[in-house]
Amino acid sequence: MVSRSTKTTLLLIFGIGLLLNPVYLYPNNLDGTGTVVTYEVEPVENETVAESLVYISEQTLTCGTERACALEREVAERGSLEYNHTVQERFPGWNPFSLSYPRYTLVAIDGQFYAPEVREDGERTILTHRELSTMEALDHIAVPSDRTSPEVRRAVETGSVTVVDHRIPEFERRDPIAHDGEVYAVTGRSYSSGPPEKVLVWRALFVLVGVGCVAVAWDLRGRE
């Protein structure tokens, strides 16, 4: 049987634990002054939304808006271009599509989407563009959820996620996310200061209960 003294000690420890709730309830926002960001995420359900997502993605090079894209247009018109040297031999460290190519995986030319591809055959380098429909283009730039953070996966599975004092890179870049056969995208984000209201309510409740437990334990110890 547990003694009265042990019960008092356990009650005191429990109360102190409740008073320390900020340490484990949003520990990176102890003083309530951090920036809270909530991302709302929904599946892409139609081609109109898909097209807008493809155009605003940082993975898409929009020719005529960002730059003229003379090389990309020539590849698209001819179907392919060939060089009699490998890319590494002719221009070490240079990508045949452009110096900025590493940042994009899709090209938009006059309303049509293309996936640029490079193939080397012996001493030749062949540049091609694979034409894609709008939905294929969306799938092409979508980031698989298993290559993202747990926060991204939680957002696509539950519809939203809230973070404190940091941003989610995939959502800030407006990357579509591929998950379980569907593509998801951010439909809204909201900003506020301090932890969410429900967290403040729980913190206050834990503090009140903690104070009560400590007071009772202190009173019991005084009677021993």
Side-chain angles (χ1 to χ4, degrees), residues 62-97:
T62 304
C63 294
T65 301
E66 296 185 47
R67 57 186 176 81
C69 303
L71 177 60
E72 286 82 2
R73 289 181 183 277
E74 187 174 1
V75 174
E77 291 171 1
R78 292 190 182 187
S80 66
L81 283 179
E82 295 186 11
Y83 290 94
N84 292 325
H85 304 274
T86 64
V87 175
Q88 289 77 13
E89 289 175 346
R90 185 168 182 178
F91 302 105
W94 180 74
N95 187 289
F97 280 74

Side-chain angles (χ1 to χ4, degrees), residues 34-48:
T35 300
V36 179
V37 185
T38 298
Y39 298 94
E40 302 291 337
V41 179
E42 293 182 5
V44 180
E45 297 181 345
N46 59 67
E47 190 169 309
T48 301

Side-chain angles (χ1 to χ4, degrees), residues 31-149:
D31 60 1
T33 60
T35 300
V36 179
V37 185
T38 298
Y39 298 94
E40 302 291 337
V41 179
E42 293 182 5
V44 180
E45 297 181 345
N46 59 67
E47 190 169 309
T48 301
V49 175
E51 184 176 39
S52 65
L53 289 170
V54 172
Y55 273 113
I56 66 175
S57 171
E58 292 186 7
Q59 296 185 60
T60 303
L61 171 65
T62 304
C63 294
T65 301
E66 296 185 47
R67 57 186 176 81
C69 303
L71 177 60
E72 286 82 2
R73 289 181 183 277
E74 187 174 1
V75 174
E77 291 171 1
R78 292 190 182 187
S80 66
L81 283 179
E82 295 186 11
Y83 290 94
N84 292 325
H85 304 274
T86 64
V87 175
Q88 289 77 13
E89 289 175 346
R90 185 168 182 178
F91 302 105
W94 180 74
N95 187 289
F97 280 74
S98 76
L99 288 175
S100 61
Y101 178 69
R103 77 170 181 81
Y104 70 82
T105 57
L106 193 73
V107 179
I109 303 176
D110 300 330
Q112 179 59 56
F113 300 114
Y114 301 90
E117 297 177 348
V118 181
R119 180 166 58 88
E120 292 191 358
D121 182 10
E123 296 298 313
R124 296 185 306 156
T125 297
I126 303 171
L127 313 181
T128 61
H129 273 170
R130 179 164 53 90
E131 189 171 324
L132 303 175
S133 67
T134 300
M135 298 308 292
E136 288 173 337
L138 180 67
D139 288 336
H140 183 71
I141 65 172
V143 179
S145 61
D146 59 5
R147 288 169 43 195
T148 63
S149 67

